[in-house]
Amino acid sequence: DDISDCYGVRICGYYYSRNKFLQSILRCEALAISMPTDENEWEDIRLRFNAKSTKGIMQGTIGAIDGLSLILF
């Protein structure tokens, strides 16, 4: 399927809209990604990941990108 068929717009219109959306997301301070700045923030993240874990499978996880766990030892 072509982008034009899927979205009902010309390809340039799709890319224009997509880029405007992505730029808005990247400029939004509320959605900014940042690293924890102290030990308490790291511990909070660790505990929240562990709470989502089934049988401790995410124990030690402090981040995830696109559904992939990043485990740091």
PDB file of all heavy atoms in Angstrom, residues 23-61:
ATOM      1  N   GLN A  23       8.085  17.379  15.284  1.00  0.00           N
ATOM      2  CA  GLN A  23       8.714  18.579  15.822  1.00  0.00           C
ATOM      3  C   GLN A  23       7.985  19.066  17.074  1.00  0.00           C
ATOM      4  O   GLN A  23       8.606  19.520  18.036  1.00  0.00           O
ATOM      5  CB  GLN A  23       8.773  19.686  14.766  1.00  0.00           C
ATOM      6  CG  GLN A  23       9.787  19.426  13.676  1.00  0.00           C
ATOM      7  CD  GLN A  23      11.195  19.289  14.232  1.00  0.00           C
ATOM      8  OE1 GLN A  23      11.630  20.037  15.093  1.00  0.00           O
ATOM      9  NE2 GLN A  23      11.916  18.300  13.729  1.00  0.00           N
ATOM     10  N   SER A  24       6.663  18.962  17.075  1.00  0.00           N
ATOM     11  CA  SER A  24       5.883  19.365  18.253  1.00  0.00           C
ATOM     12  C   SER A  24       6.219  18.491  19.448  1.00  0.00           C
ATOM     13  O   SER A  24       6.378  18.986  20.573  1.00  0.00           O
ATOM     14  CB  SER A  24       4.384  19.269  17.959  1.00  0.00           C
ATOM     15  OG  SER A  24       4.029  20.169  16.949  1.00  0.00           O
ATOM     16  N   ILE A  25       6.348  17.198  19.231  1.00  0.00           N
ATOM     17  CA  ILE A  25       6.698  16.271  20.307  1.00  0.00           C
ATOM     18  C   ILE A  25       8.097  16.576  20.829  1.00  0.00           C
ATOM     19  O   ILE A  25       8.331  16.646  22.041  1.00  0.00           O
ATOM     20  CB  ILE A  25       6.625  14.804  19.814  1.00  0.00           C
ATOM     21  CG1 ILE A  25       5.202  14.425  19.413  1.00  0.00           C
ATOM     22  CG2 ILE A  25       7.198  13.835  20.846  1.00  0.00           C
ATOM     23  CD1 ILE A  25       4.207  14.439  20.538  1.00  0.00           C
ATOM     24  N   LEU A  26       9.037  16.768  19.926  1.00  0.00           N
ATOM     25  CA  LEU A  26      10.422  17.018  20.332  1.00  0.00           C
ATOM     26  C   LEU A  26      10.593  18.339  21.082  1.00  0.00           C
ATOM     27  O   LEU A  26      11.481  18.475  21.920  1.00  0.00           O
ATOM     28  CB  LEU A  26      11.346  16.988  19.113  1.00  0.00           C
ATOM     29  CG  LEU A  26      11.493  15.616  18.449  1.00  0.00           C
ATOM     30  CD1 LEU A  26      12.259  15.746  17.141  1.00  0.00           C
ATOM     31  CD2 LEU A  26      12.164  14.631  19.380  1.00  0.00           C
ATOM     32  N   ARG A  27       9.741  19.313  20.805  1.00  0.00           N
ATOM     33  CA  ARG A  27       9.837  20.624  21.458  1.00  0.00           C
ATOM     34  C   ARG A  27       9.060  20.709  22.768  1.00  0.00           C
ATOM     35  O   ARG A  27       9.189  21.685  23.500  1.00  0.00           O
ATOM     36  CB  ARG A  27       9.328  21.705  20.515  1.00  0.00           C
ATOM     37  CG  ARG A  27      10.258  21.946  19.360  1.00  0.00           C
ATOM     38  CD  ARG A  27       9.760  23.072  18.476  1.00  0.00           C
ATOM     39  NE  ARG A  27      10.660  23.264  17.364  1.00  0.00           N
ATOM     40  CZ  ARG A  27      10.272  23.395  16.111  1.00  0.00           C
ATOM     41  NH1 ARG A  27       8.989  23.386  15.797  1.00  0.00           N
ATOM     42  NH2 ARG A  27      11.163  23.560  15.154  1.00  0.00           N
ATOM     43  N   CYS A  28       8.266  19.692  23.070  1.00  0.00           N
ATOM     44  CA  CYS A  28       7.423  19.711  24.270  1.00  0.00           C
ATOM     45  C   CYS A  28       8.253  19.353  25.502  1.00  0.00           C
ATOM     46  O   CYS A  28       8.726  18.229  25.642  1.00  0.00           O
ATOM     47  CB  CYS A  28       6.266  18.728  24.099  1.00  0.00           C
ATOM     48  SG  CYS A  28       5.191  18.661  25.548  1.00  0.00           S
ATOM     49  N   GLU A  29       8.429  20.308  26.409  1.00  0.00           N
ATOM     50  CA  GLU A  29       9.238  20.073  27.603  1.00  0.00           C
ATOM     51  C   GLU A  29       8.628  19.004  28.503  1.00  0.00           C
ATOM     52  O   GLU A  29       9.355  18.268  29.174  1.00  0.00           O
ATOM     53  CB  GLU A  29       9.428  21.371  28.375  1.00  0.00           C
ATOM     54  CG  GLU A  29      10.380  22.327  27.680  1.00  0.00           C
ATOM     55  CD  GLU A  29      10.705  23.525  28.533  1.00  0.00           C
ATOM     56  OE1 GLU A  29      10.816  23.364  29.762  1.00  0.00           O
ATOM     57  OE2 GLU A  29      10.872  24.609  27.959  1.00  0.00           O
ATOM     58  N   ALA A  30       7.303  18.893  28.524  1.00  0.00           N
ATOM     59  CA  ALA A  30       6.650  17.890  29.371  1.00  0.00           C
ATOM     60  C   ALA A  30       6.979  16.469  28.921  1.00  0.00           C
ATOM     61  O   ALA A  30       6.888  15.532  29.715  1.00  0.00           O
ATOM     62  CB  ALA A  30       5.137  18.102  29.366  1.00  0.00           C
ATOM     63  N   LEU A  31       7.368  16.296  27.664  1.00  0.00           N
ATOM     64  CA  LEU A  31       7.693  14.970  27.139  1.00  0.00           C
ATOM     65  C   LEU A  31       9.196  14.739  27.027  1.00  0.00           C
ATOM     66  O   LEU A  31       9.633  13.721  26.490  1.00  0.00           O
ATOM     67  CB  LEU A  31       7.040  14.783  25.766  1.00  0.00           C
ATOM     68  CG  LEU A  31       5.519  14.864  25.732  1.00  0.00           C
ATOM     69  CD1 LEU A  31       5.017  14.760  24.303  1.00  0.00           C
ATOM     70  CD2 LEU A  31       4.893  13.790  26.607  1.00  0.00           C
ATOM     71  N   ALA A  32       9.983  15.661  27.532  1.00  0.00           N
ATOM     72  CA  ALA A  32      11.437  15.554  27.417  1.00  0.00           C
ATOM     73  C   ALA A  32      11.957  14.325  28.163  1.00  0.00           C
ATOM     74  O   ALA A  32      11.487  13.996  29.250  1.00  0.00           O
ATOM     75  CB  ALA A  32      12.102  16.813  27.965  1.00  0.00           C
ATOM     76  N   ILE A  33      12.908  13.659  27.564  1.00  0.00           N
ATOM     77  CA  ILE A  33      13.549  12.507  28.185  1.00  0.00           C
ATOM     78  C   ILE A  33      14.807  12.997  28.880  1.00  0.00           C
ATOM     79  O   ILE A  33      15.619  13.710  28.299  1.00  0.00           O
ATOM     80  CB  ILE A  33      13.913  11.455  27.122  1.00  0.00           C
ATOM     81  CG1 ILE A  33      12.647  10.927  26.469  1.00  0.00           C
ATOM     82  CG2 ILE A  33      14.714  10.322  27.738  1.00  0.00           C
ATOM     83  CD1 ILE A  33      12.903  10.016  25.285  1.00  0.00           C
ATOM     84  N   SER A  34      14.956  12.608  30.139  1.00  0.00           N
ATOM     85  CA  SER A  34      16.147  13.005  30.876  1.00  0.00           C
ATOM     86  C   SER A  34      16.571  11.861  31.793  1.00  0.00           C
ATOM     87  O   SER A  34      15.767  11.014  32.156  1.00  0.00           O
ATOM     88  CB  SER A  34      15.883  14.268  31.694  1.00  0.00           C
ATOM     89  OG  SER A  34      14.874  14.014  32.647  1.00  0.00           O
ATOM     90  N   MET A  35      17.829  11.872  32.134  1.00  0.00           N
ATOM     91  CA  MET A  35      18.367  10.866  33.041  1.00  0.00           C
ATOM     92  C   MET A  35      18.092  11.300  34.474  1.00  0.00           C
ATOM     93  O   MET A  35      18.063  12.501  34.775  1.00  0.00           O
ATOM     94  CB  MET A  35      19.871  10.725  32.837  1.00  0.00           C
ATOM     95  CG  MET A  35      20.254  10.173  31.481  1.00  0.00           C
ATOM     96  SD  MET A  35      19.738   8.473  31.250  1.00  0.00           S
ATOM     97  CE  MET A  35      20.912   7.641  32.281  1.00  0.00           C
ATOM     98  N   PRO A  36      17.886  10.344  35.365  1.00  0.00           N
ATOM     99  CA  PRO A  36      17.733  10.696  36.784  1.00  0.00           C
ATOM    100  C   PRO A  36      18.981  11.442  37.274  1.00  0.00           C
ATOM    101  O   PRO A  36      20.085  11.212  36.790  1.00  0.00           O
ATOM    102  CB  PRO A  36      17.615   9.326  37.469  1.00  0.00           C
ATOM    103  CG  PRO A  36      17.136   8.408  36.394  1.00  0.00           C
ATOM    104  CD  PRO A  36      17.743   8.917  35.122  1.00  0.00           C
ATOM    105  N   THR A  37      18.769  12.322  38.234  1.00  0.00           N
ATOM    106  CA  THR A  37      19.877  13.153  38.690  1.00  0.00           C
ATOM    107  C   THR A  37      20.444  12.736  40.045  1.00  0.00           C
ATOM    108  O   THR A  37      21.496  13.211  40.444  1.00  0.00           O
ATOM    109  CB  THR A  37      19.448  14.623  38.770  1.00  0.00           C
ATOM    110  OG1 THR A  37      18.308  14.713  39.643  1.00  0.00           O
ATOM    111  CG2 THR A  37      19.085  15.166  37.397  1.00  0.00           C
ATOM    112  N   ASP A  38      19.723  11.868  40.768  1.00  0.00           N
ATOM    113  CA  ASP A  38      20.265  11.421  42.054  1.00  0.00           C
ATOM    114  C   ASP A  38      19.834   9.979  42.337  1.00  0.00           C
ATOM    115  O   ASP A  38      19.055   9.384  41.612  1.00  0.00           O
ATOM    116  CB  ASP A  38      19.851  12.357  43.195  1.00  0.00           C
ATOM    117  CG  ASP A  38      18.352  12.406  43.436  1.00  0.00           C
ATOM    118  OD1 ASP A  38      17.651  11.391  43.196  1.00  0.00           O
ATOM    119  OD2 ASP A  38      17.865  13.451  43.888  1.00  0.00           O
ATOM    120  N   GLU A  39      20.384   9.442  43.405  1.00  0.00           N
ATOM    121  CA  GLU A  39      20.147   8.044  43.768  1.00  0.00           C
ATOM    122  C   GLU A  39      18.672   7.751  44.025  1.00  0.00           C
ATOM    123  O   GLU A  39      18.178   6.681  43.680  1.00  0.00           O
ATOM    124  CB  GLU A  39      20.978   7.710  45.015  1.00  0.00           C
ATOM    125  CG  GLU A  39      20.969   6.246  45.363  1.00  0.00           C
ATOM    126  CD  GLU A  39      21.887   5.941  46.526  1.00  0.00           C
ATOM    127  OE1 GLU A  39      23.007   6.469  46.557  1.00  0.00           O
ATOM    128  OE2 GLU A  39      21.470   5.158  47.390  1.00  0.00           O
ATOM    129  N   ASN A  40      17.950   8.696  44.613  1.00  0.00           N
ATOM    130  CA  ASN A  40      16.523   8.489  44.899  1.00  0.00           C
ATOM    131  C   ASN A  40      15.708   8.336  43.619  1.00  0.00           C
ATOM    132  O   ASN A  40      14.789   7.514  43.559  1.00  0.00           O
ATOM    133  CB  ASN A  40      15.973   9.635  45.741  1.00  0.00           C
ATOM    134  CG  ASN A  40      16.536   9.635  47.137  1.00  0.00           C
ATOM    135  OD1 ASN A  40      16.852   8.582  47.696  1.00  0.00           O
ATOM    136  ND2 ASN A  40      16.692  10.820  47.712  1.00  0.00           N
ATOM    137  N   GLU A  41      16.026   9.117  42.598  1.00  0.00           N
ATOM    138  CA  GLU A  41      15.312   9.000  41.323  1.00  0.00           C
ATOM    139  C   GLU A  41      15.611   7.646  40.665  1.00  0.00           C
ATOM    140  O   GLU A  41      14.717   7.018  40.108  1.00  0.00           O
ATOM    141  CB  GLU A  41      15.696  10.142  40.386  1.00  0.00           C
ATOM    142  CG  GLU A  41      15.131  11.481  40.805  1.00  0.00           C
ATOM    143  CD  GLU A  41      15.507  12.594  39.845  1.00  0.00           C
ATOM    144  OE1 GLU A  41      15.901  12.316  38.696  1.00  0.00           O
ATOM    145  OE2 GLU A  41      15.413  13.766  40.234  1.00  0.00           O
ATOM    146  N   TRP A  42      16.871   7.209  40.709  1.00  0.00           N
ATOM    147  CA  TRP A  42      17.217   5.898  40.159  1.00  0.00           C
ATOM    148  C   TRP A  42      16.443   4.793  40.878  1.00  0.00           C
ATOM    149  O   TRP A  42      15.922   3.870  40.256  1.00  0.00           O
ATOM    150  CB  TRP A  42      18.719   5.633  40.277  1.00  0.00           C
ATOM    151  CG  TRP A  42      19.543   6.343  39.267  1.00  0.00           C
ATOM    152  CD1 TRP A  42      20.358   7.401  39.493  1.00  0.00           C
ATOM    153  CD2 TRP A  42      19.648   6.063  37.864  1.00  0.00           C
ATOM    154  NE1 TRP A  42      20.967   7.802  38.319  1.00  0.00           N
ATOM    155  CE2 TRP A  42      20.551   6.984  37.309  1.00  0.00           C
ATOM    156  CE3 TRP A  42      19.061   5.108  37.032  1.00  0.00           C
ATOM    157  CZ2 TRP A  42      20.884   6.998  35.968  1.00  0.00           C
ATOM    158  CZ3 TRP A  42      19.400   5.116  35.683  1.00  0.00           C
ATOM    159  CH2 TRP A  42      20.294   6.044  35.164  1.00  0.00           C
ATOM    160  N   GLU A  43      16.378   4.889  42.192  1.00  0.00           N
ATOM    161  CA  GLU A  43      15.676   3.869  42.979  1.00  0.00           C
ATOM    162  C   GLU A  43      14.186   3.878  42.658  1.00  0.00           C
ATOM    163  O   GLU A  43      13.563   2.816  42.551  1.00  0.00           O
ATOM    164  CB  GLU A  43      15.915   4.108  44.476  1.00  0.00           C
ATOM    165  CG  GLU A  43      15.240   3.105  45.387  1.00  0.00           C
ATOM    166  CD  GLU A  43      15.773   1.682  45.249  1.00  0.00           C
ATOM    167  OE1 GLU A  43      16.772   1.453  44.540  1.00  0.00           O
ATOM    168  OE2 GLU A  43      15.162   0.781  45.843  1.00  0.00           O
ATOM    169  N   ASP A  44      13.605   5.037  42.497  1.00  0.00           N
ATOM    170  CA  ASP A  44      12.183   5.142  42.146  1.00  0.00           C
ATOM    171  C   ASP A  44      11.908   4.450  40.811  1.00  0.00           C
ATOM    172  O   ASP A  44      10.942   3.696  40.679  1.00  0.00           O
ATOM    173  CB  ASP A  44      11.765   6.617  42.089  1.00  0.00           C
ATOM    174  CG  ASP A  44      10.305   6.783  41.716  1.00  0.00           C
ATOM    175  OD1 ASP A  44       9.439   6.189  42.392  1.00  0.00           O
ATOM    176  OD2 ASP A  44      10.036   7.492  40.726  1.00  0.00           O
ATOM    177  N   ILE A  45      12.763   4.698  39.839  1.00  0.00           N
ATOM    178  CA  ILE A  45      12.592   4.069  38.522  1.00  0.00           C
ATOM    179  C   ILE A  45      12.736   2.562  38.634  1.00  0.00           C
ATOM    180  O   ILE A  45      11.938   1.795  38.085  1.00  0.00           O
ATOM    181  CB  ILE A  45      13.610   4.647  37.513  1.00  0.00           C
ATOM    182  CG1 ILE A  45      13.244   6.095  37.198  1.00  0.00           C
ATOM    183  CG2 ILE A  45      13.652   3.807  36.235  1.00  0.00           C
ATOM    184  CD1 ILE A  45      14.297   6.846  36.432  1.00  0.00           C
ATOM    185  N   ARG A  46      13.743   2.112  39.379  1.00  0.00           N
ATOM    186  CA  ARG A  46      13.951   0.676  39.554  1.00  0.00           C
ATOM    187  C   ARG A  46      12.730   0.017  40.185  1.00  0.00           C
ATOM    188  O   ARG A  46      12.266  -1.031  39.734  1.00  0.00           O
ATOM    189  CB  ARG A  46      15.182   0.419  40.418  1.00  0.00           C
ATOM    190  CG  ARG A  46      15.544  -1.060  40.529  1.00  0.00           C
ATOM    191  CD  ARG A  46      16.596  -1.301  41.577  1.00  0.00           C
ATOM    192  NE  ARG A  46      16.112  -1.066  42.929  1.00  0.00           N
ATOM    193  CZ  ARG A  46      15.349  -1.918  43.619  1.00  0.00           C
ATOM    194  NH1 ARG A  46      14.964  -3.054  43.075  1.00  0.00           N
ATOM    195  NH2 ARG A  46      14.972  -1.629  44.838  1.00  0.00           N
ATOM    196  N   LEU A  47      12.172   0.649  41.207  1.00  0.00           N
ATOM    197  CA  LEU A  47      11.003   0.098  41.887  1.00  0.00           C
ATOM    198  C   LEU A  47       9.775   0.063  40.974  1.00  0.00           C
ATOM    199  O   LEU A  47       8.996  -0.891  41.000  1.00  0.00           O
ATOM    200  CB  LEU A  47      10.700   0.893  43.155  1.00  0.00           C
ATOM    201  CG  LEU A  47      11.724   0.742  44.282  1.00  0.00           C
ATOM    202  CD1 LEU A  47      11.418   1.716  45.412  1.00  0.00           C
ATOM    203  CD2 LEU A  47      11.769  -0.691  44.783  1.00  0.00           C
ATOM    204  N   ARG A  48       9.600   1.101  40.154  1.00  0.00           N
ATOM    205  CA  ARG A  48       8.449   1.119  39.241  1.00  0.00           C
ATOM    206  C   ARG A  48       8.571   0.052  38.162  1.00  0.00           C
ATOM    207  O   ARG A  48       7.585  -0.597  37.811  1.00  0.00           O
ATOM    208  CB  ARG A  48       8.267   2.513  38.631  1.00  0.00           C
ATOM    209  CG  ARG A  48       7.710   3.499  39.668  1.00  0.00           C
ATOM    210  CD  ARG A  48       7.330   4.821  39.057  1.00  0.00           C
ATOM    211  NE  ARG A  48       8.538   5.571  38.740  1.00  0.00           N
ATOM    212  CZ  ARG A  48       8.631   6.394  37.705  1.00  0.00           C
ATOM    213  NH1 ARG A  48       7.629   6.567  36.885  1.00  0.00           N
ATOM    214  NH2 ARG A  48       9.758   7.046  37.477  1.00  0.00           N
ATOM    215  N   PHE A  49       9.769  -0.155  37.622  1.00  0.00           N
ATOM    216  CA  PHE A  49       9.949  -1.240  36.656  1.00  0.00           C
ATOM    217  C   PHE A  49       9.713  -2.590  37.326  1.00  0.00           C
ATOM    218  O   PHE A  49       9.081  -3.476  36.768  1.00  0.00           O
ATOM    219  CB  PHE A  49      11.343  -1.210  36.023  1.00  0.00           C
ATOM    220  CG  PHE A  49      11.388  -0.460  34.733  1.00  0.00           C
ATOM    221  CD1 PHE A  49      11.875   0.829  34.684  1.00  0.00           C
ATOM    222  CD2 PHE A  49      10.946  -1.048  33.560  1.00  0.00           C
ATOM    223  CE1 PHE A  49      11.913   1.528  33.490  1.00  0.00           C
ATOM    224  CE2 PHE A  49      10.980  -0.361  32.363  1.00  0.00           C
ATOM    225  CZ  PHE A  49      11.464   0.931  32.333  1.00  0.00           C
ATOM    226  N   ASN A  50      10.215  -2.749  38.541  1.00  0.00           N
ATOM    227  CA  ASN A  50      10.046  -4.007  39.246  1.00  0.00           C
ATOM    228  C   ASN A  50       8.565  -4.283  39.527  1.00  0.00           C
ATOM    229  O   ASN A  50       8.121  -5.431  39.473  1.00  0.00           O
ATOM    230  CB  ASN A  50      10.856  -4.005  40.545  1.00  0.00           C
ATOM    231  CG  ASN A  50      11.069  -5.393  41.077  1.00  0.00           C
ATOM    232  OD1 ASN A  50      11.433  -6.294  40.325  1.00  0.00           O
ATOM    233  ND2 ASN A  50      10.851  -5.579  42.363  1.00  0.00           N
ATOM    234  N   ALA A  51       7.786  -3.230  39.797  1.00  0.00           N
ATOM    235  CA  ALA A  51       6.357  -3.391  40.049  1.00  0.00           C
ATOM    236  C   ALA A  51       5.615  -3.889  38.809  1.00  0.00           C
ATOM    237  O   ALA A  51       4.600  -4.581  38.914  1.00  0.00           O
ATOM    238  CB  ALA A  51       5.755  -2.065  40.527  1.00  0.00           C
ATOM    239  N   LYS A  52       6.117  -3.572  37.633  1.00  0.00           N
ATOM    240  CA  LYS A  52       5.497  -4.030  36.384  1.00  0.00           C
ATOM    241  C   LYS A  52       5.974  -5.426  36.001  1.00  0.00           C
ATOM    242  O   LYS A  52       5.465  -6.034  35.077  1.00  0.00           O
ATOM    243  CB  LYS A  52       5.804  -3.053  35.258  1.00  0.00           C
ATOM    244  CG  LYS A  52       5.168  -1.701  35.441  1.00  0.00           C
ATOM    245  CD  LYS A  52       5.524  -0.797  34.289  1.00  0.00           C
ATOM    246  CE  LYS A  52       4.922   0.565  34.459  1.00  0.00           C
ATOM    247  NZ  LYS A  52       3.481   0.596  34.325  1.00  0.00           N
ATOM    248  N   SER A  53       6.964  -5.909  36.716  1.00  0.00           N
ATOM    249  CA  SER A  53       7.607  -7.173  36.390  1.00  0.00           C
ATOM    250  C   SER A  53       6.760  -8.372  36.826  1.00  0.00           C
ATOM    251  O   SER A  53       6.089  -8.336  37.837  1.00  0.00           O
ATOM    252  CB  SER A  53       8.970  -7.221  37.082  1.00  0.00           C
ATOM    253  OG  SER A  53       9.605  -8.439  36.850  1.00  0.00           O
ATOM    254  N   THR A  54       6.826  -9.425  36.053  1.00  0.00           N
ATOM    255  CA  THR A  54       6.212 -10.690  36.411  1.00  0.00           C
ATOM    256  C   THR A  54       7.323 -11.637  36.849  1.00  0.00           C
ATOM    257  O   THR A  54       8.266 -11.880  36.091  1.00  0.00           O
ATOM    258  CB  THR A  54       5.458 -11.305  35.210  1.00  0.00           C
ATOM    259  OG1 THR A  54       4.473 -10.376  34.779  1.00  0.00           O
ATOM    260  CG2 THR A  54       4.816 -12.619  35.566  1.00  0.00           C
ATOM    261  N   LYS A  55       7.244 -12.119  38.069  1.00  0.00           N
ATOM    262  CA  LYS A  55       8.239 -13.039  38.622  1.00  0.00           C
ATOM    263  C   LYS A  55       9.655 -12.457  38.563  1.00  0.00           C
ATOM    264  O   LYS A  55      10.625 -13.165  38.322  1.00  0.00           O
ATOM    265  CB  LYS A  55       8.185 -14.385  37.904  1.00  0.00           C
ATOM    266  CG  LYS A  55       6.869 -15.107  38.085  1.00  0.00           C
ATOM    267  CD  LYS A  55       6.880 -16.461  37.424  1.00  0.00           C
ATOM    268  CE  LYS A  55       5.524 -17.123  37.596  1.00  0.00           C
ATOM    269  NZ  LYS A  55       5.474 -18.433  36.967  1.00  0.00           N
ATOM    270  N   GLY A  56       9.765 -11.145  38.730  1.00  0.00           N
ATOM    271  CA  GLY A  56      11.066 -10.507  38.796  1.00  0.00           C
ATOM    272  C   GLY A  56      11.837 -10.435  37.494  1.00  0.00           C
ATOM    273  O   GLY A  56      13.026 -10.156  37.487  1.00  0.00           O
ATOM    274  N   ILE A  57      11.153 -10.662  36.366  1.00  0.00           N
ATOM    275  CA  ILE A  57      11.852 -10.690  35.079  1.00  0.00           C
ATOM    276  C   ILE A  57      12.501  -9.353  34.732  1.00  0.00           C
ATOM    277  O   ILE A  57      13.473  -9.306  33.990  1.00  0.00           O
ATOM    278  CB  ILE A  57      10.929 -11.175  33.951  1.00  0.00           C
ATOM    279  CG1 ILE A  57      11.747 -11.604  32.745  1.00  0.00           C
ATOM    280  CG2 ILE A  57       9.921 -10.108  33.575  1.00  0.00           C
ATOM    281  CD1 ILE A  57      10.974 -12.382  31.721  1.00  0.00           C
ATOM    282  N   MET A  58      11.971  -8.258  35.272  1.00  0.00           N
ATOM    283  CA  MET A  58      12.536  -6.941  34.962  1.00  0.00           C
ATOM    284  C   MET A  58      13.381  -6.405  36.109  1.00  0.00           C
ATOM    285  O   MET A  58      13.721  -5.233  36.142  1.00  0.00           O
ATOM    286  CB  MET A  58      11.427  -5.959  34.602  1.00  0.00           C
ATOM    287  CG  MET A  58      10.724  -6.321  33.319  1.00  0.00           C
ATOM    288  SD  MET A  58       9.485  -5.132  32.803  1.00  0.00           S
ATOM    289  CE  MET A  58      10.505  -3.792  32.257  1.00  0.00           C
ATOM    290  N   GLN A  59      13.752  -7.261  37.048  1.00  0.00           N
ATOM    291  CA  GLN A  59      14.558  -6.830  38.180  1.00  0.00           C
ATOM    292  C   GLN A  59      15.875  -6.228  37.688  1.00  0.00           C
ATOM    293  O   GLN A  59      16.557  -6.801  36.844  1.00  0.00           O
ATOM    294  CB  GLN A  59      14.846  -8.005  39.090  1.00  0.00           C
ATOM    295  CG  GLN A  59      15.584  -7.613  40.331  1.00  0.00           C
ATOM    296  CD  GLN A  59      15.721  -8.786  41.289  1.00  0.00           C
ATOM    297  OE1 GLN A  59      15.196  -9.858  41.057  1.00  0.00           O
ATOM    298  NE2 GLN A  59      16.438  -8.554  42.359  1.00  0.00           N
ATOM    299  N   GLY A  60      16.191  -5.051  38.165  1.00  0.00           N
ATOM    300  CA  GLY A  60      17.409  -4.371  37.768  1.00  0.00           C
ATOM    301  C   GLY A  60      17.257  -3.495  36.543  1.00  0.00           C
ATOM    302  O   GLY A  60      18.172  -2.792  36.160  1.00  0.00           O
ATOM    303  N   THR A  61      16.085  -3.502  35.907  1.00  0.00           N
ATOM    304  CA  THR A  61      15.857  -2.698  34.709  1.00  0.00           C
ATOM    305  C   THR A  61      15.637  -1.246  35.106  1.00  0.00           C
ATOM    306  O   THR A  61      14.887  -0.951  36.019  1.00  0.00           O
ATOM    307  CB  THR A  61      14.642  -3.226  33.927  1.00  0.00           C
ATOM    308  OG1 THR A  61      14.868  -4.585  33.600  1.00  0.00           O
ATOM    309  CG2 THR A  61      14.387  -2.428  32.669  1.00  0.00           C
TER     310      THR A  61
END
